[in-house]
Coordinates of all heavy atoms in Angstrom, one line a residue:
N1 N 42.9 9.2 49.5 CA 42.4 10.5 50.1 C 42.5 11.6 49.1 O 42.2 12.8 49.5 CB 43.0 10.8 51.4 CG 44.5 11.3 51.3 OD1 45.0 11.5 50.2 ND2 45.1 11.5 52.4
Y2 N 42.8 11.4 47.9 CA 42.9 12.4 46.8 C 43.8 13.5 47.1 O 43.8 14.6 46.5 CB 41.5 13.0 46.5 CG 40.5 11.9 46.2 CD1 39.6 11.4 47.1 CD2 40.4 11.4 44.9 CE1 38.6 10.4 46.8 CE2 39.5 10.4 44.5 CZ 38.6 9.9 45.5 OH 37.7 8.9 45.2
G3 N 44.7 13.4 48.1 CA 45.7 14.4 48.4 C 45.2 15.7 49.0 O 45.8 16.8 48.9
V4 N 44.0 15.7 49.6 CA 43.4 16.9 50.2 C 43.6 16.8 51.7 O 43.7 15.7 52.3 CB 42.0 17.1 49.8 CG1 41.8 17.3 48.3 CG2 41.1 15.9 50.3
S5 N 43.6 18.0 52.3 CA 43.7 18.0 53.8 C 42.4 18.3 54.5 O 42.3 18.1 55.7 CB 44.7 19.1 54.2 OG 44.3 20.4 53.7
F6 N 41.3 18.6 53.8 CA 40.0 18.9 54.4 C 39.3 17.5 54.6 O 39.6 16.6 53.9 CB 39.2 19.9 53.6 CG 39.0 19.5 52.2 CD1 38.0 18.6 51.8 CD2 39.8 20.0 51.2 CE1 37.8 18.3 50.5 CE2 39.6 19.7 49.9 CZ 38.6 18.9 49.5
Q7 N 38.3 17.5 55.5 CA 37.6 16.3 55.7 C 36.7 16.0 54.6 O 36.0 16.8 54.0 CB 36.7 16.5 57.0 CG 36.0 15.3 57.4 CD 35.2 15.4 58.6 OE1 35.0 16.5 59.1 NE2 34.6 14.4 59.2
M8 N 36.7 14.7 54.2 CA 35.9 14.3 53.0 C 34.7 13.4 53.6 O 34.9 12.8 54.6 CB 36.7 13.5 52.0 CG 37.7 14.3 51.4 SD 38.6 13.6 50.0 CE 37.3 13.0 49.0
F9 N 33.6 13.4 52.9 CA 32.5 12.6 53.3 C 32.4 11.4 52.5 O 33.0 11.2 51.4 CB 31.2 13.4 53.1 CG 31.2 14.7 53.9 CD1 31.6 15.9 53.4 CD2 30.7 14.6 55.2 CE1 31.6 17.0 54.2 CE2 30.7 15.8 56.0 CZ 31.2 17.0 55.5
S10 N 31.7 10.4 53.0 CA 31.5 9.2 52.2 C 30.5 9.3 51.1 O 29.7 10.3 51.1 CB 31.0 8.1 53.2 OG 29.8 8.4 53.7
K11 N 30.5 8.5 50.2 CA 29.6 8.5 49.0 C 28.2 8.2 49.5 O 28.0 7.3 50.4 CB 30.1 7.5 48.0 CG 29.2 7.4 46.8 CD 29.7 6.4 45.8 CE 28.8 6.2 44.6 NZ 29.2 5.2 43.7
I12 N 27.2 8.9 49.0 CA 25.8 8.6 49.3 C 25.0 8.5 48.1 O 25.4 8.9 47.0 CB 25.2 9.8 50.2 CG1 25.3 11.1 49.5 CG2 25.9 9.9 51.5 CD1 24.5 12.2 50.2
D13 N 23.9 7.9 48.2 CA 23.0 7.7 47.1 C 22.1 9.0 47.0 O 21.7 9.5 48.0 CB 22.1 6.5 47.2 CG 22.8 5.2 47.1 OD1 23.8 5.2 46.3 OD2 22.5 4.2 47.7
V14 N 21.8 9.4 45.8 CA 20.9 10.5 45.6 C 19.5 10.1 45.0 O 18.6 10.8 45.0 CB 21.5 11.6 44.7 CG1 22.8 12.2 45.3 CG2 21.8 11.1 43.3
N15 N 19.5 8.8 44.5 CA 18.2 8.3 43.9 C 18.0 6.9 44.5 O 18.9 6.3 45.1 CB 18.3 8.1 42.4 CG 18.4 9.5 41.7 OD1 17.6 10.4 42.0 ND2 19.3 9.6 40.7
G16 N 16.8 6.4 44.3 CA 16.5 5.0 44.8 C 16.1 4.9 46.2 O 16.0 5.9 46.9
T17 N 15.9 3.7 46.7 CA 15.4 3.4 48.0 C 16.4 3.8 49.1 O 16.1 4.1 50.2 CB 15.1 1.9 48.2 OG1 16.2 1.2 47.9 CG2 13.9 1.6 47.3
H18 N 17.7 3.9 48.7 CA 18.7 4.3 49.7 C 19.2 5.7 49.6 O 20.2 6.1 50.1 CB 19.9 3.3 49.6 CG 19.6 1.9 49.8 ND1 19.2 1.4 51.0 CD2 19.5 0.9 48.9 CE1 18.9 0.1 50.9 NE2 19.1 -0.3 49.6
A19 N 18.4 6.5 48.9 CA 18.8 7.9 48.7 C 18.9 8.6 50.1 O 18.1 8.4 51.0 CB 17.7 8.7 47.9
H20 N 19.9 9.5 50.2 CA 20.1 10.2 51.5 C 18.9 11.1 51.7 O 18.3 11.7 50.8 CB 21.4 11.1 51.3 CG 21.8 11.7 52.6 ND1 21.2 12.8 53.1 CD2 22.7 11.3 53.5 CE1 21.8 13.2 54.3 NE2 22.7 12.2 54.5
P21 N 18.4 11.3 53.0 CA 17.3 12.1 53.3 C 17.3 13.6 52.7 O 16.3 14.1 52.3 CB 17.2 12.2 54.8 CG 17.9 10.9 55.2 CD 19.0 10.7 54.2
I22 N 18.5 14.2 52.7 CA 18.6 15.5 52.1 C 18.2 15.6 50.6 O 17.5 16.5 50.2 CB 20.0 16.2 52.3 CG1 20.0 17.7 52.0 CG2 21.1 15.5 51.5 CD1 19.1 18.5 52.8
Y23 N 18.6 14.5 49.9 CA 18.2 14.5 48.5 C 16.8 14.1 48.3 O 16.1 14.6 47.3 CB 19.2 13.6 47.7 CG 20.5 14.3 47.5 CD1 21.6 14.0 48.3 CD2 20.6 15.3 46.5 CE1 22.8 14.7 48.1 CE2 21.8 15.9 46.3 CZ 22.9 15.6 47.2 OH 24.1 16.3 47.0
K24 N 16.2 13.3 49.2 CA 14.8 13.0 49.1 C 14.0 14.3 49.3 O 13.1 14.6 48.5 CB 14.4 12.0 50.2 CG 14.9 10.6 49.9 CD 14.4 9.7 51.0 CE 14.9 8.2 50.8 NZ 14.5 7.3 51.8
Y25 N 14.4 15.1 50.2 CA 13.7 16.4 50.5 C 13.9 17.3 49.3 O 12.9 17.9 48.9 CB 14.3 17.0 51.8 CG 13.9 18.4 52.1 CD1 12.5 18.6 52.4 CD2 14.7 19.4 52.0 CE1 12.1 19.9 52.7 CE2 14.3 20.7 52.3 CZ 13.0 21.0 52.6 OH 12.6 22.2 52.9
L26 N 15.1 17.5 48.9 CA 15.4 18.5 47.8 C 14.6 18.1 46.5 O 14.0 18.9 45.9 CB 16.9 18.5 47.5 CG 17.7 19.2 48.5 CD1 19.2 19.0 48.2 CD2 17.4 20.7 48.7
K27 N 14.6 16.8 46.2 CA 13.8 16.3 45.0 C 12.3 16.5 45.2 O 11.6 16.8 44.2 CB 14.2 14.9 44.7 CG 15.7 14.7 44.2 CD 15.9 13.3 43.8 CE 15.8 12.3 45.0 NZ 16.1 11.0 44.6
K28 N 11.8 16.3 46.4 CA 10.4 16.5 46.7 C 10.0 17.9 46.5 O 9.0 18.3 45.9 CB 10.1 16.0 48.1 CG 8.6 16.2 48.5 CD 8.4 15.6 49.9 CE 7.2 16.2 50.5 NZ 7.5 17.2 51.5
E29 N 10.8 18.8 47.0 CA 10.5 20.3 46.9 C 10.8 20.9 45.6 O 10.1 21.8 45.2 CB 11.4 21.0 48.0 CG 11.0 20.6 49.4 CD 9.6 21.0 49.8 OE1 9.2 22.1 49.5 OE2 8.9 20.1 50.4
Q30 N 11.8 20.4 44.9 CA 12.2 20.9 43.6 C 12.3 19.8 42.6 O 13.4 19.4 42.2 CB 13.5 21.7 43.7 CG 13.5 22.9 44.5 CD 12.7 24.0 43.8 OE1 12.8 24.2 42.6 NE2 12.0 24.8 44.6
G31 N 11.2 19.3 42.2 CA 11.2 18.2 41.2 C 11.9 18.6 39.9 O 12.0 19.8 39.6
G32 N 12.2 17.6 39.1 CA 12.9 18.0 37.8 C 12.2 17.3 36.6 O 11.1 16.6 36.8
I33 N 12.8 17.4 35.5 CA 12.2 16.8 34.3 C 12.3 15.3 34.2 O 11.7 14.7 33.4 CB 12.8 17.5 33.0 CG1 14.3 17.2 32.9 CG2 12.5 19.0 33.0 CD1 14.9 17.7 31.6
F34 N 13.1 14.7 35.1 CA 13.3 13.3 35.1 C 12.4 12.6 36.2 O 12.9 11.7 36.9 CB 14.7 12.9 35.3 CG 15.6 13.4 34.1 CD1 16.4 14.5 34.2 CD2 15.5 12.7 32.9 CE1 17.1 14.9 33.1 CE2 16.2 13.1 31.8 CZ 17.0 14.2 31.9
G35 N 11.3 13.2 36.5 CA 10.4 12.6 37.5 C 10.9 12.8 38.9 O 10.7 11.9 39.8
G36 N 11.7 13.8 39.2 CA 12.2 14.0 40.5 C 13.6 13.4 40.7 O 14.2 13.6 41.7
K37 N 14.0 12.6 39.8 CA 15.3 11.9 39.9 C 16.5 12.9 39.5 O 16.3 13.8 38.8 CB 15.4 10.7 39.0 CG 14.5 9.6 39.5 CD 14.7 8.4 38.6 CE 13.8 7.3 39.1 NZ 13.9 6.0 38.4
I38 N 17.6 12.6 40.1 CA 18.8 13.4 39.7 C 19.6 12.5 38.6 O 20.0 11.4 38.9 CB 19.7 13.6 40.9 CG1 18.9 14.5 41.9 CG2 21.0 14.3 40.5 CD1 19.7 14.8 43.2
K39 N 19.7 13.1 37.4 CA 20.3 12.3 36.4 C 21.8 12.3 36.5 O 22.5 11.3 36.2 CB 19.9 12.9 35.0 CG 20.5 12.2 33.8 CD 20.0 12.7 32.5 CE 20.7 11.9 31.4 NZ 20.5 12.5 30.1
W40 N 22.4 13.5 36.9 CA 23.9 13.6 36.8 C 24.3 14.3 38.1 O 23.6 15.2 38.6 CB 24.3 14.4 35.6 CG 25.7 14.3 35.2 CD1 26.5 13.2 35.3 CD2 26.5 15.3 34.6 NE1 27.8 13.5 34.9 CE2 27.8 14.8 34.4 CE3 26.2 16.6 34.2 CZ2 28.8 15.6 33.8 CZ3 27.2 17.4 33.6 CH2 28.5 16.9 33.4
N41 N 25.5 14.0 38.6 CA 25.9 14.5 39.9 C 26.2 16.0 39.9 O 26.5 16.5 41.0 CB 27.1 13.7 40.4 CG 28.4 13.9 39.5 OD1 28.2 14.1 38.3 ND2 29.5 13.7 40.1
F42 N 26.1 16.7 38.8 CA 26.4 18.2 38.8 C 25.0 19.0 38.9 O 25.0 20.2 38.7 CB 27.2 18.6 37.6 CG 28.6 18.2 37.8 CD1 29.1 17.1 37.0 CD2 29.5 18.8 38.7 CE1 30.4 16.7 37.1 CE2 30.8 18.4 38.8 CZ 31.3 17.3 38.0
T43 N 23.9 18.3 39.2 CA 22.7 19.0 39.4 C 22.9 19.8 40.7 O 23.5 19.4 41.6 CB 21.5 17.9 39.7 OG1 21.4 17.2 38.4 CG2 20.2 18.6 40.0
K44 N 22.4 21.0 40.7 CA 22.6 22.0 41.8 C 21.3 22.4 42.4 O 20.3 22.5 41.7 CB 23.3 23.2 41.3 CG 24.7 22.9 40.6 CD 25.2 24.1 39.8 CE 25.5 23.9 38.4 NZ 25.4 22.8 37.7
F45 N 21.3 22.6 43.7 CA 20.1 23.1 44.4 C 20.5 24.4 45.1 O 21.5 24.4 45.8 CB 19.6 22.1 45.4 CG 19.0 20.9 44.8 CD1 19.8 19.8 44.5 CD2 17.7 20.8 44.4 CE1 19.3 18.6 43.9 CE2 17.1 19.6 43.8 CZ 17.9 18.6 43.6
L46 N 19.7 25.4 45.0 CA 19.9 26.6 45.8 C 18.9 26.6 46.9 O 17.7 26.5 46.8 CB 19.7 27.9 44.9 CG 19.8 29.2 45.6 CD1 21.3 29.4 46.1 CD2 19.5 30.3 44.6
V47 N 19.5 26.8 48.2 CA 18.7 26.7 49.4 C 18.9 28.0 50.1 O 20.0 28.5 50.2 CB 19.2 25.5 50.3 CG1 18.4 25.5 51.6 CG2 19.1 24.2 49.5
D48 N 17.8 28.6 50.6 CA 17.8 29.9 51.3 C 18.4 29.7 52.7 O 18.6 28.6 53.2 CB 16.5 30.6 51.3 CG 15.5 30.1 52.2 OD1 15.8 29.2 53.1 OD2 14.3 30.5 52.1
P49 N 18.7 30.8 53.4 CA 19.3 30.7 54.7 C 18.4 30.0 55.8 O 18.9 29.5 56.8 CB 19.4 32.2 55.2 CG 19.6 32.9 53.9 CD 18.7 32.2 52.9
N50 N 17.1 29.8 55.4 CA 16.2 29.1 56.3 C 16.1 27.6 56.0 O 15.3 26.9 56.6 CB 14.8 29.7 56.3 CG 14.8 31.2 56.8 OD1 15.5 31.4 57.8 ND2 14.2 32.1 56.1
G51 N 16.8 27.2 55.0 CA 16.8 25.8 54.6 C 15.7 25.4 53.6 O 15.5 24.3 53.3
Q52 N 15.1 26.4 53.0 CA 14.0 26.2 52.0 C 14.7 26.2 50.6 O 15.3 27.1 50.2 CB 13.0 27.3 52.1 CG 12.1 27.3 53.3 CD 11.4 26.0 53.4 OE1 11.6 25.3 54.4 NE2 10.5 25.7 52.5
P53 N 14.4 25.1 49.9 CA 14.9 25.0 48.5 C 14.3 26.1 47.7 O 13.0 26.3 47.7 CB 14.5 23.6 48.0 CG 14.3 22.9 49.3 CD 13.8 23.9 50.3
I54 N 15.1 26.9 46.9 CA 14.6 28.0 46.1 C 14.5 27.5 44.6 O 13.5 27.9 44.0 CB 15.5 29.2 46.2 CG1 15.7 29.6 47.6 CG2 15.1 30.3 45.3 CD1 14.8 30.6 48.1
E55 N 15.5 26.8 44.2 CA 15.6 26.5 42.7 C 16.4 25.3 42.6 O 17.3 25.0 43.3 CB 16.1 27.7 42.0 CG 16.0 27.6 40.5 CD 14.6 27.6 40.0 OE1 13.8 28.5 40.4 OE2 14.3 26.8 39.1
R56 N 16.2 24.6 41.5 CA 17.0 23.4 41.1 C 17.6 23.8 39.7 O 16.9 24.3 38.8 CB 16.1 22.2 40.9 CG 16.8 21.0 40.4 CD 15.9 19.8 40.4 NE 16.5 18.6 39.8 CZ 16.1 17.4 40.1 NH1 15.1 17.2 40.8 NH2 16.8 16.4 39.5
F57 N 18.8 23.5 39.5 CA 19.5 23.8 38.3 C 20.1 22.6 37.6 O 20.6 21.7 38.3 CB 20.7 24.8 38.6 CG 20.3 26.1 39.2 CD1 20.3 26.3 40.6 CD2 19.8 27.1 38.4 CE1 19.9 27.5 41.1 CE2 19.4 28.3 39.0 CZ 19.4 28.5 40.3
A58 N 20.0 22.6 36.3 CA 20.5 21.5 35.5 C 22.1 21.4 35.6 O 22.7 22.4 35.9 CB 20.1 21.6 34.1
P59 N 22.6 20.3 35.4 CA 24.1 20.2 35.4 C 24.8 21.2 34.5 O 25.9 21.6 34.7 CB 24.4 18.7 34.9 CG 23.1 18.0 35.3 CD 22.0 19.0 35.1
T60 N 24.1 21.6 33.4 CA 24.8 22.5 32.4 C 24.5 24.0 32.7 O 25.1 24.8 32.0 CB 24.2 22.2 31.0 OG1 22.7 22.3 31.1 CG2 24.6 20.8 30.6
T61 N 23.8 24.3 33.8 CA 23.6 25.7 34.2 C 24.9 26.3 34.6 O 25.6 25.8 35.4 CB 22.6 25.8 35.3 OG1 21.4 25.1 34.9 CG2 22.3 27.2 35.7
T62 N 25.1 27.5 34.1 CA 26.4 28.2 34.4 C 26.2 29.0 35.7 O 25.1 29.3 36.1 CB 26.7 29.2 33.3 OG1 25.6 30.2 33.3 CG2 26.8 28.6 31.9
P63 N 27.4 29.2 36.3 CA 27.3 30.0 37.6 C 26.7 31.4 37.4 O 26.1 31.9 38.3 CB 28.8 30.1 38.0 CG 29.5 28.9 37.3 CD 28.7 28.7 36.1
E64 N 26.9 32.0 36.2 CA 26.3 33.3 36.0 C 24.8 33.2 36.0 O 24.2 34.2 36.5 CB 26.7 33.8 34.6 CG 28.2 34.1 34.5 CD 29.1 32.9 34.3 OE1 28.6 31.8 33.9 OE2 30.3 33.0 34.6
K65 N 24.2 32.2 35.6 CA 22.7 32.0 35.7 C 22.3 31.9 37.1 O 21.3 32.5 37.5 CB 22.3 30.8 34.8 CG 20.8 30.6 34.8 CD 20.1 31.7 34.1 CE 18.6 31.4 34.0 NZ 17.8 32.5 33.5
I66 N 23.0 31.2 37.9 CA 22.7 31.0 39.3 C 22.9 32.4 40.1 O 22.1 32.6 41.0 CB 23.6 29.9 40.0 CG1 23.3 28.6 39.3 CG2 23.3 29.8 41.5 CD1 24.2 27.5 39.7
D67 N 23.8 33.2 39.6 CA 24.0 34.5 40.3 C 22.8 35.3 40.3 O 22.5 36.1 41.2 CB 25.1 35.3 39.5 CG 26.5 34.9 40.0 OD1 26.7 34.2 41.0 OD2 27.5 35.3 39.3
E68 N 21.9 35.2 39.2 CA 20.7 36.0 39.2 C 19.8 35.6 40.4 O 19.2 36.5 41.0 CB 19.9 35.6 37.9 CG 20.6 36.1 36.6 CD 19.9 35.6 35.4 OE1 18.7 35.2 35.4 OE2 20.6 35.5 34.3
Y69 N 19.8 34.4 40.8 CA 19.0 33.9 41.9 C 19.6 34.3 43.2 O 18.9 34.7 44.2 CB 18.8 32.4 41.9 CG 17.8 32.0 40.8 CD1 18.3 31.7 39.5 CD2 16.5 31.8 41.0 CE1 17.5 31.3 38.4 CE2 15.6 31.4 39.9 CZ 16.1 31.2 38.7 OH 15.3 30.8 37.7
L70 N 20.9 34.3 43.3 CA 21.7 34.7 44.5 C 21.4 36.2 44.8 O 21.2 36.5 45.9 CB 23.1 34.4 44.4 CG 23.5 32.9 44.4 CD1 25.0 32.7 44.1 CD2 23.2 32.3 45.7
D71 N 21.5 37.0 43.7 CA 21.3 38.4 43.9 C 19.9 38.7 44.5 O 19.8 39.5 45.4 CB 21.5 39.1 42.5 CG 22.9 39.2 42.1 OD1 23.8 39.0 42.9 OD2 23.1 39.4 40.9
K72 N 18.9 38.0 44.0 CA 17.6 38.1 44.5 C 17.5 37.8 46.0 O 16.9 38.5 46.7 CB 16.6 37.3 43.7 CG 15.2 37.5 44.1 CD 14.2 36.6 43.2 CE 12.8 36.8 43.7 NZ 11.9 35.9 43.1
I73 N 18.1 36.7 46.3 CA 18.0 36.2 47.8 C 18.8 37.3 48.6 O 18.3 37.6 49.7 CB 18.7 34.9 47.9 CG1 17.9 33.8 47.3 CG2 18.9 34.5 49.4 CD1 18.5 32.4 47.2
L74 N 19.9 37.8 48.2 CA 20.7 38.7 49.0 C 19.9 40.0 49.1 O 20.0 40.7 50.2 CB 22.0 38.9 48.4 CG 22.9 37.7 48.5 CD1 24.2 37.9 47.7 CD2 23.2 37.3 49.9
I75 N 19.2 40.5 48.1 CA 18.5 41.7 48.1 C 17.3 41.6 49.1 O 17.0 42.5 49.9 CB 18.0 42.1 46.7 CG1 19.2 42.6 45.9 CG2 17.0 43.2 46.8 CD1 18.9 42.8 44.4
E76 N 16.6 40.4 49.1 CA 15.5 40.2 50.0 C 15.9 40.1 51.4 O 15.1 40.4 52.3 CB 14.7 39.0 49.6 CG 14.0 39.1 48.3 CD 13.4 37.8 47.8 OE1 13.6 36.7 48.5 OE2 12.7 37.8 46.8
K77 N 17.1 39.7 51.7 CA 17.6 39.5 53.1 C 17.8 40.8 53.8 O 17.8 41.7 54.1 CB 18.9 38.7 53.1 CG 19.3 38.3 54.4 CD 20.4 37.3 54.4 CE 20.7 36.9 55.8 NZ 21.8 36.1 56.0

């Protein structure tokens, strides 16, 4: 259990025929340079309060770069 006290979720697929529906949706809405596939598990998606995907970020994207998008969402709200 990795020594944590919070509830953990089971492993899910993000690519292929058994991909979880949330990742199918996110990849459809925010395709990437790998043909919509997720190459690495640190790929990030920013979703607005209404559940609409706003942006997809590469695994190497820094939190500071994502802040620019968060600021825009918060100002619009």
Side-chain angles (χ1 to χ4, degrees):
N1 71 7
Y2 303 101
V4 297
S5 59
F6 55 84
Q7 185 178 8
M8 294 189 52
F9 298 93
S10 61
K11 180 179 175 181
I12 61 172
D13 290 329
V14 299
N15 293 313
T17 57
H18 300 292
H20 190 280
I22 188 67
Y23 284 100
K24 288 180 182 179
Y25 172 68
L26 290 170
K27 293 185 297 183
K28 179 178 156 255
E29 296 296 315
Q30 293 290 323
I33 61 172
F34 296 103
K37 293 183 179 180
I38 295 175
K39 181 179 179 188
W40 196 35
N41 64 333
F42 289 105
T43 297
K44 302 165 234 3
F45 293 91
L46 180 60
V47 179
D48 75 11
N50 298 315
Q52 292 299 118
I54 304 271
E55 190 67 44
R56 177 179 176 156
F57 299 97
T60 56
T61 303
T62 64
E64 292 78 17
K65 181 68 176 172
I66 298 171
D67 277 347
E68 296 172 21
Y69 290 87
L70 289 173
D71 289 343
K72 182 179 178 186
I73 290 172
L74 293 173
I75 289 170
E76 291 175 356
K77 190 173 181 186

